[in-house]
Amino acid sequence: MTAAESGSVAPWEEQKDGVSLQGKVAIVTGAASGLGRASALALARAGARVVVADLDAQGGREVADMVDGHFRACDVSDLDANRALVEFTQERYGGVDIALLNAGVATGCGVGEDFDLVRYRRAMGANLDGVVFGTHAVLPALRARGGGSIVATASLAGLAAVPLDPLYGANKHAVVGLARSLGPALAPENVRFNAVCPGFAESRIIDPLRGMLSEQGLPVIPAEVVADTVLRIVAGDGTGECWFIQAGREPEPFRFRNVPGPAKPVGV
């Protein structure tokens, strides 16, 4: 029985769709389950050495064993924890080439009577600070390698209005804006920054929504589809892109309309 058949995916086995990441080192946050887990497995299949980061130590260690990698407990809302994660990876593998900043949580409150400061801070800390802090921490390591790839997990909620969870929409829109802005800003350093924006995809975040999704006949996107898209982004050459993933459609970069420029004075 191969490692893949037993559920383990040693990084020298089963390269995914011809994508080779041999010799590359990847950090994946929120990797103990859902989209992070699937992405860690996909990166390992493509040949990358993977450091699995999560607050869920049991799940994280299980995934690390599956990819023949290392686990590191990390609260992504803590800047020093992000720095320590990068240092840990450098100590184990000598550098970092890829960072998937995937950790995220549901908001659990709104802005009216149900507003809860603790829940708000937790959501913003994981979903936005985790991307900003992770980027800040990993940039020196990527520069030391001559460049690299950062992929942030946003959401379709970062591309559309989310009346039922405006705070989640706010932090995911922020990640989209960061990707669009940092992509061209970091390009001269050969560092690519992109975002992946899945709809309702297989993860813990959608657990409270499963009944509603089933009643409305809305399919849940397999985590592996998101992971395959992450691989495409890492293996590509685009930057500043926000790839949407929606059931029944081929994932691709979202085409933002250009913001209108200032009107020319009449007669000019």
Side-chain angles (χ1 to χ4, degrees):
M1 178 181 293
T2 68
E5 290 170 338
S6 65
S8 175
V9 283
W12 53 85
E13 296 189 65
E14 290 197 9
Q15 285 190 8
K16 182 68 179 175
D17 297 332
V19 174
S20 176
L21 299 177
Q22 292 291 336
K24 302 297 184 182
V25 177
I27 293 171
V28 182
T29 67
S33 63
L35 308 184
R37 178 185 184 276
S39 296
L41 299 181
L43 289 163
R45 287 191 182 102
R49 308 299 294 186
V50 181
V51 169
V52 172
D54 207 295
L55 285 174
D56 176 358
Q58 179 178 346
R61 290 193 177 98
E62 289 175 358
V63 175
D65 288 344
M66 293 174 71
V67 301
D68 193 23
H70 291 282
F71 168 74
R72 174 79 180 191
C74 181
D75 178 355
V76 299
S77 68
D78 183 317
L79 177 57
D80 287 337
N82 283 275
R83 289 169 171 159
L85 172 61
V86 173
E87 291 173 2
F88 174 86
T89 305
Q90 290 176 304
E91 290 169 0
R92 294 303 185 277
Y93 291 130
V96 185
D97 304 284
I98 301 160
L100 173 58
L101 306 178
N102 166 77
V105 297
T107 305
C109 71
V111 298
E113 293 181 357
D114 62 339
F115 180 74
D116 184 300
L117 182 59
V118 173
R119 289 177 179 270
Y120 171 76
R121 293 295 184 200
R122 177 174 179 265
M124 292 306 227
N127 298 352
L128 179 55
D129 292 349
V131 175
V132 174
F133 294 169
T135 299
H136 171 77
V138 80
L139 272 176
L142 297 182
R143 288 167 176 151
R145 301 279 262 199
S149 176
I150 301 173
V151 180
T153 300
S155 168
L156 207 65
L159 301 174
V162 192
L164 294 178
D165 196 344
L167 294 176
Y168 187 78
N171 56 53
K172 292 304 183 179
H173 270 76
V175 173
V176 165
L178 192 67
R180 297 186 69 196
S181 302
L182 275 182
L186 296 175
E189 300 180 78
N190 199 33
V191 174
R192 297 186 301 110
F193 192 110
N194 297 285
V196 61
C197 302
F200 295 113
E202 187 58 54
S203 66
R204 291 175 179 172
I205 286 180
I206 71 162
D207 283 346
L209 306 174
R210 292 184 188 277
M212 178 272 289
L213 295 175
S214 177
E215 290 175 3
Q216 296 188 13
L218 297 174
V220 175
I221 301 164
E224 291 74 19
V225 174
V226 179
D228 289 350
T229 305
V230 169
L231 271 190
R232 290 175 62 181
I233 294 171
V234 169
D237 57 8
T239 192
E241 296 178 339
C242 300
W243 285 60
F244 72 83
I245 306 172
Q246 191 59 287
R249 299 188 62 174
E250 179 70 14
E252 63 176 305
F254 185 71
R255 307 300 177 187
F256 293 89
R257 294 184 62 183
N258 292 327
V259 176
K264 292 184 178 181
V266 175
V268 174

